[in-house]
Amino acid sequence: MNFLRRRWLPSALVTSLLTLAAGTEARADGTAQLGTAQGLRAGAVLYVDIVAPATEGIRWTGTGTVAVVDPNGTAVATLSSGQTATLTGKPAGAYRVTVASNQVTGSSWDLSATNPTDGGGRVFSYNWTFDAGSYAPAAATYGSFYAIVDGGGGSFRPVIELALDGLAGYVYDINANSIGIDGPLRGKSVPMSGNSVTPEFPIYLRVPSIATFDHADPAAYGLTYVGGTSTDVNGAAITPCDQIAPGQSEGLFQFTATATGSYHLQCDLDGDGQMTATNPDDLLVIGTTQVGLNVVSWDGRVNGTPVAPGTYPCKVEMTIGEFHYVGRDIETSYLGMRLYEVGVGGTRTPLTMFWDDSLVQSLSLTMPNGQTSLVSPGAAGMTPGAYGTTPVPNVSARAWGSFTATGKGNNTYLDTYTWLGGSTTSNIQVTAVDPLVDTDGDGVSDFVERCTLGTDPSDPDSDGDGTPDGAQYWAGSTPASTGGLESNGRLAAALAERAIRQRFGITPRAWFAASTLSAWAEGASLPGARAVISTPADLPQVTNAADVYGLDFVDGAGTNRGSVLLVASDGALYEHSKEICDRAHGAALELATDLTIDGHAMVMTRFRRADGAHDYAVALKLYAQGDQVAVEGGWLPESYSPVAAGQRVVNLQVWAADATDLQALVASLTSDWARRGLIVAAAPPAPDEEAAPLPVRTATSAPAAFVRAGGLLGETLDLTVQRRFTDGPLTLRLVGADAERGEHVVELGAVADGAQVAVRDTLPLFADVTVELVGRRGVLDRVWLSDGAWSRYDDGLWGGATTPTTSTTCATDPLAAGAAIRWFGCAETTALAVDQLAGVARHLARPLDLSTHRYLVAHVDASRAGTVCVESTTARAQACRALPAGAGWYAWRLDGFDPLAARTADLVTFAADAGGAIALKVNGLAVVDGELPPEVTEVTEAPTTGGGCSSAPSPSAAALVLAAIALSGRRRRRAAARR
């Protein structure tokens, strides 16, 4: 509804628009075509094409009323049975008509355009919804539906007729689209649970007046496959590999299309020399095309199972006018359904039909003729007989069921599809490889070397520098002690302080042995690795965690191959996840795909971290039910089951350097739980005909699109969005990015399957933002991003005696003009006595490139002089300059700081060293690349002390802690260099 253009008509005017239908010529649409057995359900949304509103009207006959709205979203009238709305002065177009009441089975209902300028069909719906009241043949549908399908863009409007003979679904829908079910199993019939279908085409009860009966002549060509990176570890260009590690990597098929339509990516996986759409052993990926380059991603699996190593021929068949009728919960089609192309003058051309019922065929019943319905029509499909002839089940008609409440149509989506024309590319070869083969023994698989690093899989030291490729380029996975945390602005300062403690290697003493969660990890194992406790024990301090337990699995070389992290919360889900956490801290989400282990459905992800390493990860929620748990996998928090008051839920996160180790870790846990009888069995679904069907959770499905990577730098937001498969137009909703409006919306529109979209936007200064990626059916993905946070910076964080009073809610004073980058917020601290140092710190979520900027600028009010330092926490390097006493805008040349080991900084500190009282406030922080504004004073003095963490204070207890930290840091760096 367009609320900006909507207006309510005065009741007197509405009354004047209503006239009795007596004497008005019209061709009714409804029971005239379908009979009185098909009762339209309340809430059905229909449309009427109005060509000449000056003379045409809309008439309703049936039970209850209908609400009529014009093409601009303005209410026109509410019609009772027998009334007509006159449309003089209204626009031409499709008028929306919403039915208020269930239509009574056995009574007529009709909707029509009165005084039509032609005799064609005017009434359509994107989703016809019926209640026939019975499964019996007398309640079945014997009519036809006519869909206007995509003819290749432009003004093409071809028509496909769905001719039904004995369709009995009791409560059922009629809709169609160009791809089949939502999700990766397109072209297949599937159970309803966990799946859905999105209506796309307008479907009429008579041949549409607006049809043109023509379509484009398409071409598809230039098919290629990219299985990995196009540059090596040194940035040099290489030819991308043509391989895939099934279930562990994702390759991209690319081709060019000359028209909009659908594509069928097919690969011959069973070696029979045919690429068959209806063969469940071959690959079939269906999606929509755009004019120009098209990209299709594949994870090397079919029906969730990784394909065997081998080389396979593949092709793309592009279609025009593809039509999928996906029957929802339709128990019977007998004698059966047929599909025809409608031509000019009413001609009908039989269309070859395809389907693949292999995933639901076990539910089949014997049909009334004694036969069993076909699992598929074979590679050649099924061609209907001549129009007007009697359908023959399993010969010329798609048939199933026996007019009962059971069968393969019950609680399933049965997909039947066809198309009007097409074009096929030349074949290419794609090789699936074993991801564990390591020919040169350097600790990196051949696949990773060819497709990810660009190193030589036959040379253990590709660059000849004396360090094996594995040690040099392929780090282990993230340890559990640093995982499992992200947040929003509520905890930004606390997280910044946590990062400072971790930078110095300080973590609170843990209650490892006392954790109630250790029992859930007893069965965790990974061949060739030993379990080491690695619990991030400070999570309860900054999150809603009630208990936490972590394990790392370390091999003989000291490499962390995988981790298990269990975090318990009471009465609510744990508020963080690795999926969001890693992207909030600079990692890119490269893969999100469905995975099933021991019957538990979950989403497997792969992240490329900022240091170039990879983590494969899954997450499960364990809902406590007495001494057992119900296990759920998922994506967004709101798609999980609700949590009862006081109920304990354990958030399980597992990640590893490769997918094989990940799946082994998860399987070791789930099999141990099953052996010990700890898992609650899932309850069977309730029959859908006897009561309103329960909502079907789709939490276990990987999202149709996701935010691949994102970051903030001052007022600049950068995002990359990855679409996996079609889910309608995409929208970015940035919640909290604008204090006045509350949210900022970016319309991405249609994005092709497999494509990535880069988004850069400039927004008002803000602390943090929740990014929601919204598709046709709601929020697909969510990421929290921040440009960093202000926090305290004193020796009290790592055991010193300073106990300052700090705040990050003071009034901000951003630089008025001349800034290349400005950061949100401010911070202040006061202390009566400084033991070692005290001040404030600004974390930069996106590191600042010191080589491309000129000045660091801040508004400082300090009671005594100190130091300002920029630091690279990853390189553990710091450089400092003098911080004057007094209040004002100050600037420091970035090239005046001592060179850092890394020319980037992710931490800026303002602090005073040991001594008396300190009061320090930083009201604004910015970078200036040009001339300084007149209100800014440049500081040229060097610091009078070591400054910050690199100062040399008196030998107090805090100083001893700092010395131990520095020593342990050097030891860790040396150990890392040796590895």
Side-chain angles (χ1 to χ4, degrees):
M1 178 66 68
N2 186 340
F3 290 99
L4 296 178
R5 303 184 65 178
R6 179 174 182 169
R7 58 187 178 90
W8 295 103
L9 300 177
S11 58
L13 179 56
V14 172
T15 302
S16 71
L17 292 173
L18 306 181
T19 63
L20 294 178
T24 304
E25 293 183 2
R27 293 192 62 181
D29 292 84
T31 53
Q33 291 78 36
L34 301 177
T36 59
Q38 311 310 310
L40 201 62
R41 302 206 304 268
V45 179
L46 315 182
Y47 295 83
V48 182
D49 288 331
I50 296 298
V51 177
T55 58
E56 296 178 342
I58 296 175
R59 185 175 67 197
W60 164 250
T61 302
T63 302
T65 63
V66 297
V68 181
V69 176
D70 76 11
N72 294 328
T74 302
V76 173
T78 298
L79 302 179
S80 297
S81 183
Q83 289 184 315
T84 301
T86 59
L87 305 176
T88 303
K90 296 289 182 179
Y95 282 67
R96 189 174 75 243
V97 179
T98 304
V99 179
S101 304
N102 288 322
Q103 300 307 294
V104 178
T105 303
S107 300
S108 64
W109 60 267
D110 290 290
L111 185 65
S112 59
T114 60
N115 300 317
T117 57
D118 56 63
R122 295 295 191 90
V123 177
F124 71 89
S125 177
Y126 292 99
N127 187 33
W128 290 95
T129 58
F130 298 110
D131 184 346
S134 171
Y135 301 106
T141 309
Y142 296 87
S144 284
F145 293 86
Y146 301 87
I148 295 180
V149 297
D150 181 8
S155 59
F156 299 113
R157 290 191 294 273
V159 175
I160 289 178
E161 178 179 351
L162 171 64
L164 305 175
D165 193 304
L167 189 83
Y170 200 135
V171 177
Y172 69 99
D173 303 339
I174 298 289
N175 57 60
N177 63 32
S178 59
I179 56 174
I181 66 164
D182 300 319
L185 295 177
R186 295 170 183 169
K188 297 182 182 298
S189 301
V190 297
M192 284 174 54
S193 178
N195 292 294
S196 63
V197 64
T198 302
E200 177 184 355
F201 297 140
I203 300 180
Y204 292 74
L205 299 184
R206 293 185 291 124
V207 178
S209 292
I210 65 172
T212 62
F213 309 106
D214 56 353
H215 58 79
D217 186 15
Y221 57 91
L223 178 63
T224 60
Y225 173 80
V226 176
T229 183
S230 58
T231 59
D232 65 16
V233 289
N234 297 313
I238 60 174
T239 300
C241 73
D242 59 355
Q243 298 180 346
I244 191 165
Q248 300 192 22
S249 73
E250 195 167 70
L252 301 177
F253 291 88
Q254 300 180 122
F255 66 96
T256 299
T258 60
T260 61
S262 299
Y263 65 77
H264 292 199
L265 168 64
Q266 301 177 61
C267 296
D268 176 18
L269 303 179
D270 60 6
D272 65 358
Q274 294 184 327
M275 294 177 232
T276 305
T278 57
N279 180 357
D281 295 327
D282 282 347
L283 175 68
L284 173 64
V285 180
I286 297 178
T288 56
T289 65
Q290 62 182 0
V291 176
L293 181 66
N294 293 263
V295 180
V296 185
S297 61
W298 182 44
D299 64 0
R301 296 188 292 185
V302 175
N303 299 337
T305 301
V307 303
T311 298
Y312 304 108
C314 300
K315 69 178 181 181
V316 165
E317 183 173 11
M318 179 194 172
T319 65
I320 288 292
E322 183 155 340
F323 170 93
H324 288 250
Y325 169 58
V326 185
R328 182 189 70 85
D329 196 28
I330 293 181
E331 284 74 13
T332 302
S333 172
Y334 186 87
L335 297 167
M337 68 173 64
R338 297 178 292 178
L339 298 174
Y340 296 90
E341 180 181 3
V342 181
V344 176
T347 61
R348 301 294 199 277
T349 302
L351 293 172
T352 303
M353 300 178 293
F354 299 90
W355 65 88
D356 177 0
D357 290 349
S358 58
L359 299 180
V360 298
Q361 184 68 11
S362 61
L363 304 174
S364 288
L365 298 176
T366 300
M367 297 185 293
N369 64 357
Q371 298 178 2
T372 300
S373 61
L374 299 176
V375 64
S376 83
M382 175 184 288
T383 302
Y387 194 73
T389 59
T390 301
V392 180
N394 285 354
V395 177
S396 65
R398 159 85 142 130
W400 67 85
S402 190
F403 298 104
T404 66
T406 58
K408 75 177 180 182
N410 183 47
N411 287 323
T412 62
Y413 288 114
L414 298 186
D415 186 1
T416 310
Y417 61 97
T418 191
W419 57 85
L420 300 178
S423 172
T424 303
T425 67
S426 300
N427 291 357
I428 62 170
Q429 303 289 323
V430 175
T431 299
V433 299
D434 183 343
L436 300 181
V437 174
D438 179 10
T439 300
D440 56 15
D442 59 1
V444 188
S445 72
D446 290 1
F447 173 77
V448 168
E449 292 211 62
R450 285 194 181 97
C451 301
T452 302
L453 301 178
T455 52
D456 186 348
S458 62
D459 185 346
D461 181 12
S462 298
D463 58 8
D465 65 353
T467 302
D469 294 337
Q472 186 171 3
Y473 299 120
W474 196 244
S477 64
T478 309
S481 59
T482 61
L485 182 65
E486 59 81 31
S487 187
N488 49 40
R490 177 178 64 84
L491 294 177
L495 294 180
E497 292 174 8
R498 180 183 191 248
I500 293 174
R501 288 193 298 268
Q502 289 187 344
R503 180 257 182 268
F504 289 113
I506 298 297
T507 56
R509 295 187 62 83
W511 54 93
F512 300 142
S515 172
T516 61
L517 301 177
S518 59
W520 289 98
E522 286 179 2
S525 63
L526 188 61
R530 61 186 179 89
V532 178
I533 294 176
S534 180
T535 301
D538 58 348
L539 292 189
Q541 298 178 19
V542 291
T543 72
N544 67 337
D547 196 359
V548 60
Y549 185 75
L551 291 173
D552 288 339
F553 290 82
V554 182
D555 64 18
T559 302
N560 187 49
R561 287 174 48 192
S563 299
V564 172
L565 179 64
L566 295 141
V567 184
S569 53
D570 295 324
L573 296 177
Y574 180 54
E575 57 191 334
H576 312 284
S577 70
K578 184 173 177 63
E579 289 79 9
I580 297 176
C581 168
D582 280 25
R583 286 180 289 176
H585 293 87
L589 175 57
E590 296 183 325
L591 177 70
T593 186
D594 297 315
L595 179 67
T596 300
I597 296 178
D598 289 340
H600 301 290
M602 61 199 77
V603 179
M604 183 177 73
T605 55
R606 184 182 72 230
F607 295 93
R608 179 184 287 272
R609 304 200 310 267
D611 62 4
H614 283 83
D615 277 346
Y616 287 85
V618 299
L620 293 171
K621 300 286 191 286
L622 315 181
Y623 289 74
Q625 296 186 15
D627 294 331
Q628 295 179 302
V629 294
V631 180
E632 291 188 10
W635 188 250
L636 296 177
E638 63 266 27
S639 59
Y640 286 94
S641 294
V643 183
Q647 182 181 21
R648 171 150 289 199
V649 181
V650 178
N651 179 78
L652 169 69
Q653 297 180 46
V654 184
W655 61 91
D658 68 55
T660 302
D661 282 351
L662 170 74
Q663 294 173 32
L665 267 177
V666 176
S668 70
L669 287 166
T670 55
S671 60
D672 177 63
W673 300 340
R675 179 184 58 80
R676 293 157 59 191
L678 300 178
I679 302 175
V680 176
D688 66 317
E689 305 295 353
E690 299 177 10
L694 296 173
V696 176
R697 287 197 314 107
T698 57
T700 54
S701 297
F706 55 80
V707 176
R708 185 179 176 94
L712 300 176
L713 185 57
E715 297 151 288
T716 301
L717 170 73
D718 285 308
L719 291 169
T720 303
V721 174
Q722 171 82 56
R723 182 190 284 288
R724 298 177 59 234
F725 54 81
T726 303
D727 189 52
L730 296 177
T731 299
L732 284 172
R733 187 165 61 211
L734 313 179
V735 182
D738 189 320
E740 295 182 0
R741 291 175 292 174
E743 65 180 42
H744 181 76
V745 176
V746 180
E747 299 289 348
L748 300 181
V751 179
D753 289 0
Q756 296 180 24
V757 177
V759 177
R760 167 164 285 196
D761 206 351
T762 301
L763 304 169
L765 279 176
F766 51 91
D768 55 75
V769 58
T770 299
V771 179
E772 293 185 335
L773 180 61
V774 183
R776 190 197 308 265
R777 292 182 293 139
V779 177
L780 301 175
D781 190 20
R782 183 180 293 113
V783 181
W784 173 74
L785 297 176
S786 170
D787 75 342
W790 288 98
S791 70
R792 55 185 284 212
Y793 188 74
D794 60 83
D795 49 272
L797 288 174
W798 48 81
T802 304
T803 55
T805 300
T806 59
S807 173
T808 58
T809 58
C810 51
T812 62
D813 185 18
L815 190 65
I821 304 171
R822 301 188 300 173
W823 283 274
F824 178 87
C826 58
E828 60 180 323
T829 188
T830 58
L832 295 177
V834 179
D835 180 18
Q836 302 301 320
L837 58 90
V840 296
R842 185 53 159 90
H843 281 262
L844 311 180
R846 295 184 65 183
L848 179 67
D849 186 345
L850 303 180
S851 64
T852 60
H853 299 288
R854 190 173 184 184
Y855 291 102
L856 177 71
V857 179
H859 188 280
V860 183
D861 186 352
S863 62
R864 60 189 178 94
T867 55
V868 55
C869 304
V870 295
E871 179 175 345
S872 169
T873 61
T874 55
R876 297 183 179 273
Q878 184 189 68
C880 301
R881 304 296 294 172
L883 175 68
W889 281 101
Y890 298 104
W892 299 265
R893 286 185 66 96
L894 287 171
D895 61 6
F897 288 89
D898 296 334
L900 299 181
R903 291 298 297 161
T904 61
D906 54 7
L907 184 69
V908 180
T909 62
F910 302 82
D913 291 333
I918 178 65
L920 189 154
K921 179 186 293 185
V922 180
N923 282 329
L925 183 65
V927 165
V928 172
D929 291 342
E931 297 299 320
L932 290 172
E935 68 268 28
V936 179
T937 300
E938 182 177 356
V939 179
T940 58
E941 294 86 358
T944 56
T945 68
C949 66
S950 57
S951 60
S954 59
S956 64
L960 294 176
V961 170
L962 288 173
I965 292 167
L967 179 59
S968 66
R970 287 194 292 272
R971 288 171 177 166
R972 283 194 297 271
R973 289 195 296 275
R974 289 169 183 164
R978 287 195 297 271
R979 289 198 298 271

